[in-house]
Amino acid sequence: MDKHSIQTLQEGLKEYYALNPQVTDPSTQPSDFGKILRAHDVGHVIYGCDTEMYDELKILPLFWWTSECTFQVYLKMRNSPAVDVMYEDMIKEKGMLWLYGAVLRVLPGVIVELIPIWFKTRRRQKLLPFLEFEPLLDRSLLDIRQEFDLLPFIK
């Protein structure tokens, strides 16, 4: 989560899984779903987001506006039965009331943070790879964040 981290994406991903044992291991899932999960986890590392509700709500628009996972791509993936498993597991673990309550508690702050990000990301030309992130694994997080101009969006 260090904005200027020089560890590689691979090292950051390893640390992310070590610090978040509750996160579903993508290798235990069907390959299509596992690939989406791993790309999402890579996003957590690159964007410096944790797994709390605030950052979970923030990361989706960051993907849509700065990566190859545009809103249209997301909608196609969202229609996949495999992706439904993620939402169902969260509801099963915490409950529907918890989920909606957590979203409502943090949503105003997320919106306030996202509005200026949306203006800064309009007409973006260079998009971060989403599903095809493997070439980035051996590069430093700082280098990736600089190349794709992501530093302004990381606290």
Side-chain angles (χ1 to χ4, degrees):
M1 292 188 60
D2 175 6
K3 183 175 185 170
H4 296 94
S5 175
I6 57 169
Q7 72 183 154
T8 66
L9 175 55
Q10 184 68 48
E11 292 166 338
L13 197 55
K14 183 178 178 183
E15 182 178 317
Y16 172 80
Y17 288 129
L19 293 173
N20 296 289
Q22 79 283 3
V23 170
T24 301
D25 181 350
S27 66
T28 65
Q29 302 301 307
S31 62
D32 60 335
F33 181 49
K35 189 169 185 166
I36 294 169
L37 269 182
R38 186 145 165 95
H40 179 85
D41 295 344
V42 163
H44 273 274
V45 175
I46 291 174
Y47 294 111
C49 291
D50 64 28
T51 58
E52 297 298 318
M53 187 57 69
Y54 185 96
D55 279 357
E56 289 292 350
L57 292 175
K58 177 183 170 184
I59 200 168
L60 277 176
L62 283 173
F63 279 132
W64 300 336
W65 303 333
T66 66
S67 85
E68 293 173 351
C69 183
T70 63
F71 185 68
Q72 291 78 14
V73 171
Y74 168 77
L75 289 177
K76 288 178 188 171
M77 285 189 295
R78 180 64 187 98
N79 288 331
S80 163
V83 176
D84 290 337
V85 171
M86 182 171 56
Y87 295 105
E88 290 169 9
D89 284 350
M90 191 182 315
I91 290 169
K92 189 186 318 176
E93 178 185 339
K94 304 273 189 168
M96 183 85 65
L97 187 58
W98 172 88
L99 178 62
Y100 290 121
V103 168
L104 290 173
R105 276 191 302 279
V106 300
L107 191 59
V110 174
I111 291 171
V112 167
E113 184 176 354
L114 288 175
I115 290 170
I117 291 174
W118 180 74
F119 281 108
K120 292 175 186 174
T121 58
R122 295 179 54 199
R123 297 180 189 86
R124 182 172 275 265
Q125 298 298 312
K126 190 158 191 170
L127 298 176
L128 179 71
F130 182 69
L131 292 175
E132 306 303 325
F133 60 83
E134 287 84 6
L136 302 176
L137 287 171
D138 293 325
R139 293 183 50 199
S140 80
L141 290 169
L142 181 59
D143 181 48
I144 295 166
R145 292 167 177 168
Q146 286 174 331
E147 178 181 343
F148 294 95
D149 194 25
L150 300 174
L151 287 172
F153 315 123
I154 301 171
K155 289 183 178 177

